Amino acid sequence: MKEIGGKTAVVVAGGDGIGRGIALALADAGANVVVADIRADAAERVRGEVIGRGRRALAVRTDASRLEDMQALADAAYGEFGGVDILCNNAGVLVRPNRAIWDTSYVDLQYVVGVNTWGLLNGVHVFVPRMRAQPGEKHIVNTSSVGALYEVAGLTMYLMTKAATIAFSDNIREELRADGFGVTLLIPGVVNTNAVTNTALVRSPEARAAEAAAKPYSSYAQERGEVLVEVPGGRGAMAMNAADTGTLTPVEPDQVGRMVVAAIRANRSICMTHPAPRAAIERRAAALLDGYHPDD
Ligand SMILES: NC(=O)c1ccc[n+]([C@@H]2O[C@H](COP(=O)([O-])OP(=O)(O)OC[C@H]3O[C@@H](n4cnc5c(N)ncnc54)[C@H](O)[C@@H]3O)[C@@H](O)[C@H]2O)c1
């Protein structure tokens, strides 16, 4: 989509962080923006910022994990703008502290899959039929995570959803190509956002109490004498391969927004916010290439 000016974009989870960065970069490129967020006040703030850039904007309180919210969002967007050209499925949460899969409650499993995977499915399920019916170019941006390309013990559930986002995006890109869609998979490394505090704001007091009582995965690693990798900026320690840490230097959400706009314009299938984790990619490729042993 070479020309973004005058287009309409929906940014799910656009009230802060990466979503806000995308919303503002799209506004700077001339798009009108529908800001959807589970926090109405956050969506409203970004709506004001988009209007301040001379574009039209709408704020819609949306829990991406709820189909009826997504349908109401689409009704509002189509009602106001008559069409949606760009859809950014950016909702994603994780639970803190990082924890082992056996210490992860069923409530937490449902929460993360509900927002990260059902949020993505709801967005595509609701918007794509309507967008297909429109003439012209369309674009979808789905937010994954670079962690899906390597291993972080203690982040299994979150990274499962982010790996699913990769396969989902790669396949809908093929299905939708003939209908004029581009699909960009956004793969952020560490981005300087308020994700931890924002997630705490939207969870129930019971869920937060359970989070506070959870055993951090790092305790197991320390008990075993394993070396943890410090994430810069006081973001804690992670149980991961030291070779993969090039993606941990934080970048700013505004910069990510500009990268996403460039990726939409160039119809790039992947938008990396950091250089690719080469060691991890080579490790995976080598294991795949060495994985066929029919006579063993
Ligand atoms: N920040 C990072 O380092 C990083 C790295 C890799 C991937 N990501 C991914 O980027 C995306 C955005 O993360 P961020 O760091 O900008 O987070 P953020 O907390 O700064 O912003 C996310 C926004 O999503 C909203 N939100 C939460 N639950 C929602 C729901 N159910 N429905 C709709 N909105 C909801 C929050 O209110 C918040 O405004 C997520 O998918 C995350 O997994 C972030």
Side-chain angles (χ1 to χ4, degrees):
M1 181 180 287
K2 288 203 174 50
E3 185 47 65
I4 289 176
K7 298 286 198 306
T8 297
V10 172
V11 183
V12 181
D16 202 0
I18 293 173
R20 172 176 170 274
I22 296 172
L24 298 185
L26 284 166
D28 285 340
N32 302 316
V33 184
V34 181
V35 185
D37 201 285
I38 195 168
R39 294 178 302 133
D41 56 338
E44 195 55 48
R45 263 196 305 277
V46 177
R47 183 186 84 98
E49 292 181 285
V50 172
I51 289 171
R53 284 161 156 79
R55 311 297 168 216
R56 290 169 63 203
L58 194 64
V60 184
R61 189 203 171 270
T62 308
D63 179 346
S65 69
R66 291 168 55 93
L67 177 61
E68 52 273 42
D69 280 22
M70 199 62 81
Q71 282 163 336
L73 169 64
D75 288 346
Y78 276 82
E80 179 74 17
F81 294 105
V84 170
D85 310 290
I86 300 167
L87 170 67
C88 300
N89 293 300
N90 176 63
V93 292
L94 43 72
V95 289
R96 291 288 188 197
N98 290 0
R99 68 195 67 166
I101 198 68
W102 58 85
D103 289 329
T104 306
S105 72
Y106 204 72
V107 168
D108 287 343
L109 291 175
Q110 287 181 313
Y111 175 58
V112 174
V113 174
V115 177
N116 301 12
T117 303
W118 278 106
L120 171 63
L121 296 176
N122 288 338
V124 169
H125 179 73
V126 167
F127 278 91
V128 161
R130 295 197 193 194
M131 291 170 78
R132 278 190 76 227
Q134 292 169 217
E137 290 179 303
K138 275 87 57 170
H139 207 95
I140 296 176
V141 178
N142 296 330
T143 306
S144 176
S145 166
V146 76
L149 304 179
Y150 47 69
E151 306 83 26
V152 185
L155 268 184
T156 295
M157 170 183 54
Y158 172 74
L159 294 181
M160 178 199 83
T161 65
K162 292 301 181 180
T165 301
I166 296 178
F168 186 80
S169 304
D170 284 346
N171 289 289
I172 63 166
R173 185 182 303 112
E174 297 309 310
E175 292 182 13
L176 289 170
R177 193 189 307 278
D179 290 320
F181 282 78
V183 176
T184 294
L185 177 64
L186 172 61
I187 305 188
V190 172
V191 183
N192 195 10
T193 69
N194 303 314
V196 176
T197 37
N198 283 339
T199 301
L201 284 176
V202 299
R203 291 214 78 186
S204 67
E206 301 77 41
R208 270 185 287 156
E211 287 204 359
K215 177 170 176 171
Y217 187 82
S218 54
S219 306
Y220 290 104
Q222 276 155 356
E223 284 158 19
R224 291 193 294 253
E226 290 168 12
V227 178
L228 297 169
V229 170
E230 277 301 323
V231 184
R235 287 180 167 74
M238 297 217 289
M240 61 183 285
N241 191 319
D244 300 333
T245 54
T247 54
L248 300 185
T249 306
V251 299
E252 295 303 316
D254 290 353
Q255 193 185 346
V256 175
R258 290 193 293 274
M259 291 177 181
V260 168
V261 165
I264 295 172
R265 282 204 176 107
N267 192 17
R268 292 192 186 110
S269 58
I270 291 185
C271 176
M272 305 284 301
T273 65
H274 293 66
R278 181 173 294 277
I281 293 167
E282 287 175 354
R283 212 164 52 234
R284 170 70 53 92
L288 285 168
L289 293 170
D290 186 42
Y292 183 59
H293 298 280
D295 303 323
D296 278 6

